[in-house]
Amino acid sequence: MFSNMLVKAENLYKCYRLYNKPIDRLKQKLSFGRKKYYEEFQALRDVSFEIMRGETIGVIGPNGAGKSTLLQLICGISNPSSGKIIINGKIAALLELGSGFNFEFTGRENVYLNAALLGLTKAEIDECYHRIVSFADIGEFINYPVKTYSSGMIIRLAFAVNLMTTPDLMIIDEALAIGDINFTAKCMSAIKEMQKKGTSIILVTHDMGTIRNLCNRVIYLENGRLIEVGPPNVVVEKYIKMMREKQNLRQTNPISEELSIISERAFDRSNEFEHRVEVFRYGTGAVKIKNIELLNEENQSINTVEFNQNIKFNVYLESSANKKISVVLNILDNKKNSITGCSFTSANQPYLETTTGGKYLLEFEFKLPLQEGHYSVFIQIAAPLIEDTVYYDVVTDALVFEVKKWKTAPLPAKVYLFPKLNVMNL
């Protein structure tokens, strides 16, 4: 059985010492353990798993979950604080951008340097050099210093070099997130070929579609702990559910002390909402979205929707100036493709003229005949101009929700139509 096992991790712990000031490192040395001048950060806690030859393993989890630390332990870049990890084969890894490259060397010189470090002889590098250059497809830049490369060009060259080394285990950490769609497609084809040849792969990515498509099993990490190991569909669904619950946690608990009444409805100035979306919003701020709710027909807050259910999005706005605005609400799928949407124009609604200090509630009511999956809401408030549009507030991921599977029939597309159909015998 061991001959078929490529990686075995047993009770891995990785603890880092965090010092507030550089001088604290010296103080710690001189204290001989009598006093601590550092704080401990547990990057990994009791992580155990096995990877067999020929398997493709996905590693998922939020930022800071311990994914990169785990890859460093597997590659031997870092040692575990306790526990052990056994590697039974040759590893090639794409970790930090440009790692292993000398930025003063040309692309050609780095190909020979990296390939040699990965165990290829000069004759072997000469033989596969043109295939490496062809795969990287960076043109004349192969003869320029790597310091002149874009991030996409660096990852192209690194991927091409690692691809030619025929490792037992290929580790890819977010490499597919950099580069254009043509190169990503080329990488996908290369990964498929490696799988056919029996190469094991560890893939770290936030693209759950890629995880489902390529992986045999998935490792889910969070806060340094191993949450689950199992089939892609099962583990990915658990991960997405937990992330969605965290994102919606504050949405469903508005702050009551900041409520005011407009047309006998609650206007929620949600500090939690603003904190959650601050990274994903832009605009002048003259008119701002204060909160958004997803409600059912009984006006109950929900985050799971049945197929073709009647729902309502309540969008709360506050204006700090006199403006004439239009509002667009789009539904995006989990790959951020715009699936459907609506606006003042599609609802035959005249543009809203706001006043300084004005507070407004917009109610978007419609059905959602969408394929099962996870969706998010994109909202845009702008001046109603065709050219030189002024954006007052644009928020991506204003709200995340799930649409359940339609039990009547499988859906072949994201949006399902209910047409009036006439069948005539001619």
Side-chain angles (χ1 to χ4, degrees):
M1 173 65 79
F2 182 78
S3 62
N4 199 37
M5 186 183 299
L6 191 60
V7 179
K8 183 178 179 65
E10 295 181 348
N11 309 113
L12 291 180
Y13 284 83
K14 182 61 180 180
C15 179
Y16 290 100
R17 294 182 176 183
L18 305 179
Y19 295 92
N20 288 326
K21 297 175 289 186
I23 191 65
D24 289 343
R25 292 180 180 272
L26 178 60
K27 290 179 180 179
Q28 185 63 43
K29 288 287 186 182
L30 298 178
S31 72
F32 297 102
R34 292 189 296 269
K35 186 176 179 181
K36 285 175 60 175
Y37 291 90
Y38 60 86
E39 295 181 3
E40 291 186 346
F41 172 70
Q42 291 285 351
L44 289 176
R45 309 164 189 252
D46 196 22
V47 175
S48 300
F49 60 89
E50 297 176 354
I51 299 176
M52 312 305 287
R53 293 186 183 275
E55 275 195 304
T56 298
I57 304 294
V59 182
I60 63 175
N63 292 332
K67 303 186 295 296
S68 295
T69 300
L70 177 61
L71 298 191
Q72 290 173 2
L73 298 186
I74 294 174
C75 292
I77 296 172
S78 179
N79 294 320
S81 301
S82 64
K84 66 179 180 179
I85 185 163
I86 301 170
I87 309 295
N88 188 29
K90 177 182 173 183
I91 298 176
L94 289 169
L95 299 179
E96 295 181 10
L97 185 63
S99 58
F101 278 0
N102 185 323
F103 278 59
E104 298 298 326
F105 286 8
T106 65
R108 177 186 174 85
E109 291 168 334
N110 271 291
V111 167
Y112 277 84
L113 172 63
N114 269 259
L117 292 174
L118 291 169
L120 271 66
T121 65
K122 185 176 184 303
E124 290 172 329
I125 302 171
D126 288 338
E127 184 179 347
C128 65
Y129 175 77
H130 290 291
R131 282 185 287 152
I132 293 173
V133 174
S134 176
F135 189 93
D137 193 22
I138 59 174
E140 290 299 317
F141 277 92
I142 193 67
N143 298 313
Y144 295 167
V146 169
K147 64 183 180 183
T148 65
Y149 288 13
S150 66
S151 58
M153 293 167 69
I154 293 173
I155 204 65
R156 281 169 175 262
L157 191 58
F159 195 99
V161 173
N162 280 271
L163 193 62
M164 301 302 166
T165 59
T166 60
D168 298 301
L169 174 63
M170 172 72 87
I171 298 177
I172 306 172
D173 186 5
E174 288 293 349
L176 301 182
I178 303 174
D180 57 38
I181 57 175
N182 293 328
F183 182 70
T184 300
K186 189 187 292 187
C187 290
M188 290 293 186
S189 298
I191 290 173
K192 292 284 189 182
E193 285 300 315
M194 284 190 287
Q195 290 176 322
K196 290 178 182 178
K197 294 177 181 178
T199 301
S200 296
I201 300 169
I202 298 178
L203 179 64
V204 176
T205 178
H206 290 285
D207 185 345
M208 296 301 106
T210 300
I211 291 290
R212 284 190 172 105
N213 183 40
L214 294 178
C215 299
N216 307 117
R217 289 189 297 140
V218 177
I219 295 171
Y220 172 18
L221 296 175
E222 188 162 347
N223 295 323
R225 299 184 185 277
L226 181 63
I227 304 300
E228 189 160 347
V229 180
N233 285 337
V234 174
V235 180
V236 166
E237 283 302 316
K238 181 172 184 175
Y239 169 63
I240 292 175
K241 181 180 179 181
M242 293 181 72
M243 293 301 102
R244 186 181 69 249
E245 289 175 351
K246 287 182 179 180
Q247 184 161 3
N248 286 332
L249 179 63
R250 291 171 177 170
Q251 292 174 184
T252 56
N253 294 282
I255 300 179
S256 59
E257 64 267 21
E258 292 189 357
L259 298 181
S260 60
I261 305 299
I262 294 181
S263 303
E264 300 180 353
R265 299 184 189 277
F267 180 86
D268 184 10
R269 297 165 55 96
S270 174
N271 290 329
E272 289 89 349
F273 171 82
E274 295 199 18
H275 175 73
R276 180 169 55 81
V277 303
E278 62 182 347
V279 179
F280 308 105
R281 80 187 312 173
Y282 64 89
T284 68
V287 184
K288 293 192 70 174
I289 303 160
K290 303 304 292 184
N291 198 16
I292 178 173
E293 296 175 312
L294 173 58
L295 307 173
N296 60 17
E297 290 182 289
E298 288 75 38
N299 283 325
Q300 297 169 329
S301 181
I302 58 175
N303 54 36
T304 301
V305 179
E306 299 291 339
F307 173 78
N308 209 34
Q309 179 180 347
N310 287 309
I311 56 93
K312 177 167 59 177
F313 286 105
N314 278 2
V315 181
Y316 298 89
L317 308 181
E318 186 171 31
S319 177
S320 59
N322 297 335
K323 297 292 181 182
K324 189 174 185 179
I325 66 167
S326 177
V327 179
V328 174
L329 185 150
N330 287 345
I331 307 295
L332 313 182
D333 67 7
N334 61 347
K335 292 184 178 295
K336 301 308 174 189
N337 299 310
S338 183
I339 301 303
T340 187
C342 55
S343 65
F344 277 25
T345 303
S346 64
N348 293 319
Q349 172 72 32
Y351 296 128
L352 174 62
E353 296 190 17
T354 68
T355 59
T356 301
K359 300 172 184 178
Y360 307 89
L361 171 61
L362 310 181
E363 293 182 341
F364 293 88
E365 297 185 45
F366 46 79
K367 291 185 177 183
L368 284 177
L370 301 179
Q371 190 180 56
E372 72 272 10
H374 298 88
Y375 297 86
S376 60
V377 177
F378 166 94
I379 307 178
Q380 172 187 291
I381 304 175
L385 301 175
I386 297 177
E387 296 182 0
D388 299 324
T389 300
V390 177
Y391 296 103
Y392 299 127
D393 200 12
V394 180
V395 176
T396 302
D397 291 338
L399 184 145
V400 178
F401 64 96
E402 178 185 7
V403 176
K404 290 187 175 180
K405 186 176 182 179
W406 190 29
K407 298 177 181 179
T408 304
L411 302 181
K414 288 286 186 181
V415 181
Y416 199 72
L417 302 179
F418 290 90
K420 180 180 178 181
L421 177 61
N422 296 317
V423 179
M424 294 168 282
N425 190 4
L426 300 178

